[in-house]
Amino acid sequence: MLRAARRTVLVCAVLVALVLGLGLLGLCYGASWASPGEVLAVLTGSEHSVVILEWRLPRVAAGLVFGAALGVAGALFQNLTRNPLGSPDVIGLDAGAYTGALIAITVLSGTPAQLAGASVAGGLLVSAVVYLLSSDRGFSGLRLVVIGIAVNAMVTALNSWIVLRADLEVAIAAVGWSAGSLNGVDWADLWLPFWVIGGLLALTAVQSRAVHQTSLGDALAVTTGVALGRLRLLMVLVGVGCTATVTAVAGPIAFVALAAPQIGRRLAGAAGIPLLPAALTGAVLLQGADLLAQALLAPVALPVGVVSTAIGGCYLIWLLTKEVGRA
């Protein structure tokens, strides 16, 4: 136990160093390269740069916070289902949040507040449907994943129909936004989502011990005093809140929530899926994917969702191959 705790601390320290290194690289990289010394001078207030403070820093901060939020959301659902496929993008929560955002764009005026509220409502509605269907005759994590995949397919079809029925300009904007992108984010877009995500992550930290116990089995969790029904509901609400908040600002960013918890677990060598390594791994994955998105076709910046989907597809093939090999 002590050895595993030391390994987790070491892994988290390395991941924090990677997050800081990628953040510094993100502040240096752009149409014009800024040296690390120049970036540190701007951050400490010795110099002033609109490009670094108003253009690059919001993007780097969004990659860090949104990546951590997606990593935690994935960890919560994978602990809940005890299945490596139990992540928000696989079981339909991303698609539900996107449905809410599409309704806000096509029916309403599409203001940031409407996007945020509609995304959360769409994610909650889909999660409620999946959770209720999977809880029939007792909760089953495997049933939740299978039902979630089916609901995801239906909601994705609904999203395609909404886009096809929309006006051309609205449809183009919706399709572009659906790729998931950090291009053009600024501080005005981020203050409210950061506060929401900060509150959700703080609530998760308070419940982290109970969440970890649920990943080790219902019997063990009950014997240690965990109220499973209430905790599962809380995990779903926090996971949906994190996913929908990210989707409302950046669009659905696929596969970070799927891959980050498992990578963090393997690095930490933990029995369950620890939340902090999952959050830090998510931040590293999203920051790294965004840097690749900016560099691959420079000076044209790709949507980060394109890169994360490509990386996640390779990860999913590896994961499915490994699971089939075990079977």
Side-chain angles (χ1 to χ4, degrees):
M1 182 68 71
L2 182 60
R3 183 177 179 181
R6 287 176 178 173
R7 178 172 172 176
T8 300
V9 171
L10 178 60
V11 166
C12 289
V14 172
L15 289 172
V16 168
L18 280 174
V19 167
L20 294 176
L22 288 171
L24 180 60
L25 181 59
L27 294 175
C28 293
Y29 182 80
S32 60
W33 176 265
S35 69
E38 292 172 333
V39 169
L40 292 176
V42 171
L43 294 179
T44 55
S46 302
E47 297 181 13
H48 182 75
S49 170
V50 173
V51 171
I52 292 175
L53 290 178
E54 301 297 331
W55 296 358
R56 296 179 187 174
L57 186 56
R59 184 173 191 144
V60 169
L64 191 162
V65 175
F66 291 170
L70 292 174
V72 168
L76 288 173
F77 279 100
Q78 289 179 20
N79 275 321
L80 178 68
T81 61
R82 294 196 286 278
N83 190 310
L85 292 176
S87 75
D89 41 358
V90 173
I91 63 177
L93 304 192
D94 277 13
Y98 181 43
T99 303
L102 280 177
I103 293 173
I105 292 172
T106 56
V107 178
L108 306 174
S109 55
T111 64
Q114 290 172 349
L115 280 173
S119 296
V120 172
L124 285 173
L125 180 60
V126 170
S127 66
V129 171
V130 173
Y131 188 81
L132 290 174
L133 291 176
S134 63
S135 298
D136 184 37
R137 291 171 300 184
F139 178 81
S140 168
L142 178 60
R143 190 186 303 127
L144 186 147
V145 172
V146 174
I147 291 173
I149 291 173
V151 171
N152 185 35
M154 292 187 286
V155 175
T156 300
L158 173 62
N159 293 343
S160 299
W161 180 81
I162 293 174
V163 171
L164 289 172
R165 298 286 297 178
D167 293 336
L168 180 59
E169 295 82 3
V170 174
I172 292 173
V175 170
W177 182 74
S178 69
S181 177
L182 299 179
N183 298 338
V185 295
D186 58 29
W187 291 119
D189 301 321
L190 298 178
W191 288 119
L192 179 59
F194 278 8
W195 278 107
V196 172
I197 290 172
L200 292 173
L201 295 185
L203 179 60
T204 305
V206 172
Q207 298 292 331
S208 60
R209 184 172 178 272
V211 170
H212 181 65
Q213 287 171 330
T214 62
S215 69
L216 303 178
D218 291 353
L220 177 61
V222 170
T223 56
T224 54
V226 175
L228 282 177
R230 185 173 60 187
L231 182 64
R232 283 171 178 160
L233 178 60
L234 178 65
M235 291 165 69
V236 169
L237 292 176
V238 171
V240 171
C242 287
T243 303
T245 302
V246 173
T247 302
V249 178
I253 299 175
F255 286 108
V256 174
L258 174 69
Q262 290 298 314
I263 295 173
R265 180 183 70 84
R266 293 176 188 277
L267 289 175
I273 302 177
L275 298 178
L276 183 56
L280 293 173
T281 304
V284 169
L285 288 179
L286 189 53
Q287 285 184 305
D290 190 47
L291 283 170
L292 280 176
Q294 295 178 66
L296 286 175
L297 296 179
V300 177
L302 290 172
V304 67
V306 173
V307 177
S308 69
T309 299
I311 296 173
C314 297
Y315 167 80
L316 185 58
I317 291 172
W318 172 83
L319 179 63
L320 291 174
T321 303
K322 189 176 181 64
E323 292 299 317
V324 169
R326 283 181 179 177

